[in-house]
Structure formats: C-alpha cells, structure tokens
Amino acid sequence: IRAVIKQAITDNVRKADPNPKTIDARVTETIEKLYDSVLTRFKPAIIGEIKDLESIPEYLTNLNKKVAHEKPTFINIDKTLSQIIMGLDLMSTPNVIVVGPSGVGKTCAIKALAQRINEGKVPDFLKKKVIYSLNAGALISGKKYRGEFESALTRVLEAAKDNPNAIIFIDE
C-alpha cells in the first residue's frame, strides 16, 4: 500500500513540477504531511505518546486507589501475600504469576497487596509501588487490524517501564 501511495504522490508531483532535482524532496514532504494528517484525524487514545499510566484509564485501573475507596476485608491471605512479595523481591526477574482456577482469590490477593501498600504494611521496596490492573478485554476490543492490539499493549508496557513504581497486574 505504501508503494502505491508513494507512486501516486510521485506521479502528481512530477505533473506539477517536472524538475527531477526537487521531486524526491517534494514527495517526501508530501508523504510526511499525509501521515501527519491521517494520524491527527484518526488518532485513537493509545496511538499517541503515553505520558504516564494514569492517562489511559480505559486500559488500566489504579488498584491502590480502588481499594482505598472500597475498604475490602481479606481473610486468610497472608501466606499467598508473602509468596507474592518474595517473588516481587527477586533481583533478576521480579515477575509473579498467580495461577489457579476461577474463584480461588487471585484478584483478591493482588487487591490485598494494594491495600497493604496503602497501609504501609509491606517491605520498604514496595512502599512506593502502585498496582495497575490491565483490562485486557478493553485492550483487545475494537482492534480491527493486525498489529493494533500488539501496538497498544507495547505502548502500555513502555509507559510502565518509564514508571519504576508501577506493578502491572494482568487479570483473566
């Protein structure tokens, strides 16, 4: 498609100005203007630069804020939380996967961790962390073209990389 667009623009520029010395520069300029025009007209929220994780609420929910408003009560979750905290404390790969059948409390455990972070009842390395729940359904929905989902996910994860205090929780 790009080659066809470039050829059409080249043909139009050649008709307007047959000078071969300026054709390449004018074609490049016209293509850049075209791309800028398309991106500004059809720019979904995720295509632009993501300044911070709070700027994309349709994909991420700040669980620290959510549990602060809800004030949930968690029972018998200490062992699971200590295992999650130990996994997050690993130096080489601080990634945790919480696995289990539906309804056993995976999301509940992460919410309990967010509540403990709010209360300051966590080790020092977690005290400033913010847990974001990634809404995978919203991230996938509305994506018609190949690569749109991957692009959106990549941009969310790049924003997370820029925020060293972010913990991304991807739920079912």
Side-chain angles (χ1 to χ4, degrees), residues 32-103:
E32 286 175 7
K33 285 181 184 176
L34 177 67
Y35 286 153
D36 288 343
S37 169
V38 168
L39 285 178
T40 54
R41 284 184 63 206
F42 302 107
K43 183 178 183 180
I46 197 68
I47 282 188
E49 289 291 319
I50 297 172
K51 302 295 183 216
D52 62 10
L53 294 169
E54 299 290 333
S55 68
I56 44 176
E58 65 272 14
Y59 299 121
L60 295 172
T61 303
N62 184 328
L63 286 183
N64 292 45
K65 287 182 182 177
K66 188 174 181 180
V67 298
H69 295 300
E70 292 176 356
K71 301 285 185 195
T73 303
F74 302 103
I75 300 169
N76 200 17
I77 201 117
D78 293 329
K79 182 179 177 187
T80 304
L81 278 180
S82 64
Q83 290 174 340
I84 291 171
I85 290 169
M86 284 176 14
L88 290 171
D89 195 25
L90 293 173
M91 293 296 252
S92 59
T93 55
N95 301 313
V96 176
I97 298 175
V98 184
V99 180
S102 296

Side-chain angles (χ1 to χ4, degrees), residues 142-161:
K143 306 298 186 271
K144 294 187 281 188
Y145 300 107
R146 190 174 135 204
E148 283 183 353
F149 166 73
E150 291 85 353
S151 175
L153 181 61
T154 300
R155 291 178 192 280
V156 169
L157 294 178
E158 284 174 2
K161 270 191 213 173

Side-chain angles (χ1 to χ4, degrees), residues 13-38:
V13 168
R14 195 171 283 140
K15 288 176 188 174
D17 181 14
N19 184 356
K21 293 180 181 177
T22 60
I23 288 177
D24 285 340
R26 289 193 59 201
V27 166
T28 302
E29 180 184 336
T30 306
I31 289 174
E32 286 175 7
K33 285 181 184 176
L34 177 67
Y35 286 153
D36 288 343
S37 169
V38 168

Side-chain angles (χ1 to χ4, degrees), residues 80-171:
T80 304
L81 278 180
S82 64
Q83 290 174 340
I84 291 171
I85 290 169
M86 284 176 14
L88 290 171
D89 195 25
L90 293 173
M91 293 296 252
S92 59
T93 55
N95 301 313
V96 176
I97 298 175
V98 184
V99 180
S102 296
V104 297
K106 299 178 294 289
T107 304
C108 181
I110 302 301
K111 285 183 177 180
L113 179 61
Q115 186 179 38
R116 293 231 178 135
I117 290 171
N118 289 346
E119 295 168 353
K121 296 179 181 176
V122 290
D124 288 339
F125 77 94
L126 282 176
K127 290 201 190 261
K128 294 182 180 177
K129 299 291 184 186
V130 179
I131 300 175
Y132 294 94
S133 176
L134 178 66
N135 184 346
L139 194 64
I140 294 169
S141 70
K143 306 298 186 271
K144 294 187 281 188
Y145 300 107
R146 190 174 135 204
E148 283 183 353
F149 166 73
E150 291 85 353
S151 175
L153 181 61
T154 300
R155 291 178 192 280
V156 169
L157 294 178
E158 284 174 2
K161 270 191 213 173
D162 294 341
N163 184 346
N165 290 325
I167 296 174
I168 304 295
F169 168 60
I170 304 172
D171 204 359

